[in-house]
Amino acid sequence: MLQKSYTLQKSTWLHLRIPFSFYLLPVFVFACATVKPNGLLLTGLIFLILHLFLYPASNGFNSYFDKDEESIGGLEHPPKVSEELYWTSLIFDAVALIAGFMINWVFAMMLFGYGLASKAYSHPLTRWKKKPLLGWLVAGFFQGYFTFMLVVVGLKDFSPDLFLNAKYFVPAFLSSALLWGSYPMTQVYQHEEDGRRGDETLSRKLGVLGTFHFTAICFTAASGGFFYYFLTSYGMTTALAFAVAMVPVLAYFLWWYASVRNDRKQANFRNTMRLNFYSAICLNLFFSWLWLFT
């Protein structure tokens, strides 16, 4: 008698949002550009752990507890969640952790820490998403600085000195600074649903136009920090290349801002995803160039 094979429901795969990991790829590429790894096998393994297992596990866990009915990052029409999604997200977390021990134990423990933080963001017992400043700080810290240092720890022989080395912690902090500026924009179209659920995100606290103004200030400050970092660490050519790479993102942001001032409905899912896409494309191309050609 043939045993029936088990496959995940389509809704589970959708809520894992594996393609959405592309928007978090710039931090990984930037860390690789800083470390300049020699081994493709190790680099590829770290990439798979983060983007195929850790991030999707976080997405799925958050989706299970959020139970969104309107658009979320990477899904314009999210299907209803099932208990299968909850257990699948935990399995993906476990796979990431087991694979992490193949690299080194500190890397694995940092994966575990990231997983705990992502769960605390959405779990009803903690629900950091309800706390505007805390949720904003945690998301930017773990997706930026923490992930950057996670990749460094995975690519290098671990030493506590890694966390004290300005070669690594400065670009790691800049990664968080950029995310702190952009993260509220990813929530600008979710104000109504967040309000119904009782989630007081920073974007909802700021309001639609306030979110644009906040992002403009933070993004300008972060970009200035990046420009100075590249100028002092790599030279004027690299600093100018970074500035040029950000031009399409700035142009789209200004166009979108003008559109929203005329019509608040333009602060919607599709325009948000376009900003994420253009930003990810420009940053990934620039950091790839920095990694391969400098």
Side-chain angles (χ1 to χ4, degrees), residues 188 191 201-213:
V188 74
H191 292 180
T201 63
L202 182 60
S203 178
R204 187 166 180 268
K205 200 81 171 175
L206 291 167
V208 172
L209 289 182
T211 298
F212 275 86
H213 299 156

Side-chain angles (χ1 to χ4, degrees), residues 108-124:
M109 289 298 95
M110 290 181 73
L111 290 172
F112 184 68
Y114 185 103
L116 286 180
S118 70
K119 291 173 177 59
Y121 186 80
S122 59
H123 196 280

Side-chain angles (χ1 to χ4, degrees), residues 3 29 74-75 95 101 127 137 151 175 192 205 277 283 288:
Q3 187 175 6
V29 182
L75 277 180
V95 172
F101 275 108
R127 198 66 180 178
L137 286 170
V151 176
S175 298
E192 186 176 337
K205 200 81 171 175
F277 179 75
L283 287 171
S288 295

Side-chain angles (χ1 to χ4, degrees), residues 253-280:
F253 180 85
L254 293 174
W255 171 84
W256 188 22
Y257 175 65
S259 299
V260 170
R261 286 193 69 89
N262 292 325
D263 179 9
R264 294 293 191 276
K265 292 182 180 179
Q266 293 303 312
N268 55 38
F269 168 82
R270 292 189 178 183
N271 284 333
T272 302
M273 288 301 103
R274 288 191 188 104
L275 180 65
N276 287 347
F277 179 75
Y278 296 146
S279 179

Side-chain angles (χ1 to χ4, degrees), residues 130-188:
K130 285 180 177 288
K131 303 172 177 64
L133 285 177
L134 180 61
W136 170 68
L137 286 170
V138 166
F141 173 78
F142 277 93
Q143 292 182 2
Y145 174 92
F146 193 88
T147 297
F148 188 101
M149 294 306 301
L150 175 65
V151 176
V152 172
V153 166
L155 292 173
K156 304 281 289 183
D157 291 331
F158 171 71
S159 166
D161 294 340
L162 288 177
F163 293 93
L164 303 175
N165 190 335
K167 177 182 178 181
Y168 303 122
F169 75 70
V170 170
F173 174 78
L174 287 171
S175 298
S176 275
L178 200 61
L179 283 162
W180 280 322
S182 62
Y183 191 72
M185 288 304 309
T186 66
Q187 303 168 319
V188 74

Side-chain angles (χ1 to χ4, degrees), residues 2-249:
L2 293 176
Q3 187 175 6
K4 185 178 180 179
S5 61
Y6 180 76
T7 57
L8 293 179
Q9 299 174 26
K10 181 180 178 181
S11 64
T12 297
W13 283 114
L14 288 173
H15 276 290
L16 290 174
R17 289 176 278 165
I18 293 175
F20 191 71
S21 298
F22 172 76
Y23 299 120
L24 297 176
L25 183 58
V27 175
F28 170 82
V29 182
F30 188 22
C32 288
T34 305
V35 175
K36 302 287 188 183
N38 294 320
L40 288 178
L41 184 61
L42 176 60
T43 306
L45 179 59
I46 294 172
F47 168 82
L48 291 176
I49 289 172
L50 292 179
H51 294 85
L52 191 58
F53 292 102
L54 184 69
Y55 294 152
S58 176
N59 295 336
F61 191 90
N62 289 339
S63 282
Y64 178 77
F65 284 100
D66 287 346
K67 294 178 171 57
D68 293 282
E69 296 178 357
E70 298 180 10
S71 302
I72 57 176
L75 277 180
E76 187 170 9
H77 304 290
K80 289 186 177 180
V81 300
S82 65
E83 190 174 346
E84 180 188 79
L85 176 63
Y86 174 78
W87 292 109
T88 301
S89 69
L90 295 183
I91 291 170
F92 270 53
D93 254 335
V95 172
L97 189 61
I98 293 168
F101 275 108
M102 297 169 58
I103 296 175
N104 65 63
W105 70 271
V106 178
F107 180 81
M109 289 298 95
M110 290 181 73
L111 290 172
F112 184 68
Y114 185 103
L116 286 180
S118 70
K119 291 173 177 59
Y121 186 80
S122 59
H123 196 280
L125 291 178
T126 46
R127 198 66 180 178
W128 288 346
K129 193 174 182 179
K130 285 180 177 288
K131 303 172 177 64
L133 285 177
L134 180 61
W136 170 68
L137 286 170
V138 166
F141 173 78
F142 277 93
Q143 292 182 2
Y145 174 92
F146 193 88
T147 297
F148 188 101
M149 294 306 301
L150 175 65
V151 176
V152 172
V153 166
L155 292 173
K156 304 281 289 183
D157 291 331
F158 171 71
S159 166
D161 294 340
L162 288 177
F163 293 93
L164 303 175
N165 190 335
K167 177 182 178 181
Y168 303 122
F169 75 70
V170 170
F173 174 78
L174 287 171
S175 298
S176 275
L178 200 61
L179 283 162
W180 280 322
S182 62
Y183 191 72
M185 288 304 309
T186 66
Q187 303 168 319
V188 74
Y189 62 91
Q190 296 176 314
H191 292 180
E192 186 176 337
E193 183 163 23
D194 286 339
R196 289 199 301 269
R197 201 166 44 218
D199 292 335
E200 193 67 40
T201 63
L202 182 60
S203 178
R204 187 166 180 268
K205 200 81 171 175
L206 291 167
V208 172
L209 289 182
T211 298
F212 275 86
H213 299 156
F214 179 85
T215 292
I217 293 169
C218 291
F219 187 81
T220 299
S223 296
F226 268 101
F227 186 88
Y228 181 76
Y229 166 73
F230 289 126
L231 179 65
T232 55
S233 300
Y234 292 87
M236 180 58 77
T237 300
T238 301
L240 290 175
F242 171 77
V244 170
M246 290 295 98
V247 168
V249 181

